[in-house]
């Protein structure tokens, strides 16, 4: 039988393929980031200019390159196109490349090619979903259930790809959810009158546990919090304050208008949704979405978890 090492004999074509593959899917992640919060279909219609609605020509839809060639403007109407589109496409390519390198290094050379392909595809799908979740949360401060819960179920279904037992995966998911939900959602609310973290964050840590066991969930939470703190301090030092995302403010105004016109659902949402009040003053009350930092930490653990665990000498123990 052919082994994985025989497939990996020519790494450069494989690297170019992995990068291109990631850029193409990064282009789809852009569609998810734009359409899911607007409750639009992911398949129809084909890509349109976000400014004037003209269909995008296939040649102008080449990941990242089109944005560079057109210098960040739409060919149809000349509107500025956010660099976010090119950034997400390149991020997709680089992440795909990193996962390919990681799979090559982590699997034994005797591994069957189909096994290597399954590990790559699973990790790649998770990474693309996390990139989408990170950008949606950064803009709208919410994490879509299809990503957090769907990703958890995917993790529970595939523990064998990561040398985990089904019980490791189940316990990790439960520990991840309860470990965030109990102290940071329920407990915090009792103490301070509002949740310290959203339910979406708890579901994202649950996903980390389903994929990588309870240590993966613990790493996601602590590394995520550390990175968020560094970002918060940096933002305050550079800009003087942490701005609430524009879309969150717009959603709140929309909700207030609906409530003023007597919509009962809008009134209920205004009373219950913590985002429905203006953010308070000071660093502790600032609204920094936590999801992007959790997503980053989960990808870090996926790529370097083994290495980190070796350094922490947990291997022989738990
Ligand atoms: Zn246009």
């Amino acid at each position: 039988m052919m082994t994985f090492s025989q497939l990996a004999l020519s790494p450069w074509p494989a690297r170019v393929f992995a990068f291109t593959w990631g850029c193409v899917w990064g282009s789809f992640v852009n569609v998810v980031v734009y359409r899911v919060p607007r409750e639009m279909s992911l398949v129809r219609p084909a890509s349109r200019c976000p400014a004037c609605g003209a269909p995008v020509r296939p040649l102008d839809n080449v990941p990242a390159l089109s944005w560079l060639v057109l210098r960040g403007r739409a060919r149809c109407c000349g509107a500025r196109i956010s660099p976010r589109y090119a950034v997400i496409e390149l991020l997709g390519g680089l992440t795909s490349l990193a996962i390919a390198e990681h799979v090559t290094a982590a699997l034994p050379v005797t591994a069957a090619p189909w096994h290597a392909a399954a590990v790559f595809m699973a990790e790649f799908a998770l990474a693309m979903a996390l990139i989408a979740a990170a950008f949606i949360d950064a803009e709208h401060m919410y994490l879509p259930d299809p990503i957090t819960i769907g990703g958890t179920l995917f993790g529970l279904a595939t523990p064998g790809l990561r040398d985990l037992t089904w019980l490791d995966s189940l316990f990790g998911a439960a520990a991840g959810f309860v470990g965030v939900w109990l102290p940071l959602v329920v407990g915090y609310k009792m103490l301070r009158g509002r949740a310290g973290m959203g339910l979406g964050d708890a579901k994202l840590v649950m996903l980390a546990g389903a994929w990588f066991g309870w240590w993966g969930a613990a790493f996601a939470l602590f590394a995520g919090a550390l990175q968020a703190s560094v970002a918060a301090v940096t933002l305050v030092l550079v800009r003087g304050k942490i701005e609430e995302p524009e879309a969150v403010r717009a959603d709140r105004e929309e909700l207030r208008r609906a409530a003023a016109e007597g919509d009962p659902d809008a009134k209920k949402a205004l009373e219950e949704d913590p985002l429905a009040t203006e953010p308070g003053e000071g660093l502790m009350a600032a609204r920094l979405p936590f999801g992007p930092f959790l997503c980053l930490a989960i990808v870090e653990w996926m790529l370097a978890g083994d290495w980190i665990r070796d350094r922490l000498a947990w291997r022989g123990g738990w």
Side-chain angles (χ1 to χ4, degrees), residues 186-262:
V186 179
Y188 207 92
K189 199 166 183 174
M190 278 159 58
L191 287 175
R192 301 201 42 184
R194 65 183 179 85
M197 241 184 237
L199 213 49
D201 298 321
K203 292 175 198 161
L204 202 49
V205 178
M206 170 173 79
L207 177 153
W211 275 76
F212 305 109
W214 72 267
W215 49 83
F219 178 84
L221 187 57
F222 287 105
L226 187 68
Q227 288 165 154
S229 308
V230 171
V233 170
T234 310
L235 273 174
V236 168
L237 288 178
V238 173
R239 287 204 204 149
K241 60 178 174 181
I242 297 172
E243 293 273 2
E244 184 181 36
E246 185 57 45
V248 174
R249 201 176 351 220
D251 285 350
R252 182 166 56 234
E253 273 158 26
E254 178 76 22
L255 212 53
R256 283 194 178 147
R257 200 160 22 222
E261 284 164 12

Side-chain angles (χ1 to χ4, degrees), residues 49 51-54 74 76-79:
C49 166
C52 73
C76 40
C77 61

Side-chain angles (χ1 to χ4, degrees), residues 24-295:
V24 169
W25 281 99
S27 185
F28 178 69
V29 170
N30 271 317
V31 175
V32 172
V33 169
Y34 185 83
R35 292 189 184 180
V36 166
R38 291 169 179 80
E39 295 178 349
M40 293 161 71
S41 159
L42 290 180
V43 282
R44 278 166 177 279
S47 293
R48 287 174 182 275
C49 166
C52 73
V56 177
R57 302 192 320 186
L59 207 61
D60 290 342
N61 217 357
V62 180
L65 276 182
S66 302
W67 191 86
L68 282 176
V69 168
L70 296 169
R71 297 187 187 184
R73 288 187 179 278
R75 189 190 291 278
C76 40
C77 61
R80 272 212 172 282
I81 301 295
S82 162
R84 188 183 75 189
Y85 290 91
V87 166
I88 290 181
E89 284 157 357
L90 285 178
L91 210 51
L94 291 173
T95 311
S96 172
L97 184 58
I99 293 170
E101 298 285 348
H102 168 244
V103 170
T104 313
L107 284 183
V109 289
T110 51
W114 67 264
H115 179 71
V119 173
F120 173 84
M121 284 307 298
E123 295 193 349
F124 178 74
L126 175 67
M128 292 304 110
L130 290 175
I131 292 175
F135 280 88
I136 290 173
D137 196 42
E139 194 180 350
H140 301 277
M141 294 197 71
Y142 93 100
L143 293 160
D145 280 346
I147 294 180
T148 55
I149 295 179
T152 300
L153 294 176
F154 189 19
L156 287 173
T158 57
L161 292 179
R162 296 174 294 284
D163 289 329
L164 291 180
T165 67
W166 193 73
L167 211 61
D168 291 333
S169 176
L170 190 66
F171 177 69
F177 183 81
V178 175
V180 173
W181 175 73
L182 205 57
L184 294 168
V185 180
V186 179
Y188 207 92
K189 199 166 183 174
M190 278 159 58
L191 287 175
R192 301 201 42 184
R194 65 183 179 85
M197 241 184 237
L199 213 49
D201 298 321
K203 292 175 198 161
L204 202 49
V205 178
M206 170 173 79
L207 177 153
W211 275 76
F212 305 109
W214 72 267
W215 49 83
F219 178 84
L221 187 57
F222 287 105
L226 187 68
Q227 288 165 154
S229 308
V230 171
V233 170
T234 310
L235 273 174
V236 168
L237 288 178
V238 173
R239 287 204 204 149
K241 60 178 174 181
I242 297 172
E243 293 273 2
E244 184 181 36
E246 185 57 45
V248 174
R249 201 176 351 220
D251 285 350
R252 182 166 56 234
E253 273 158 26
E254 178 76 22
L255 212 53
R256 283 194 178 147
R257 200 160 22 222
E261 284 164 12
D263 182 342
D265 291 340
K267 276 186 191 152
K268 195 160 177 284
L270 271 180
E271 281 161 20
E272 288 174 2
D273 187 349
L275 294 180
T277 52
E278 254 106 37
E281 293 289 317
L283 192 57
M284 284 304 290
R287 245 168 226 165
L288 188 67
F290 189 46
F293 302 100
L294 281 176
C295 291

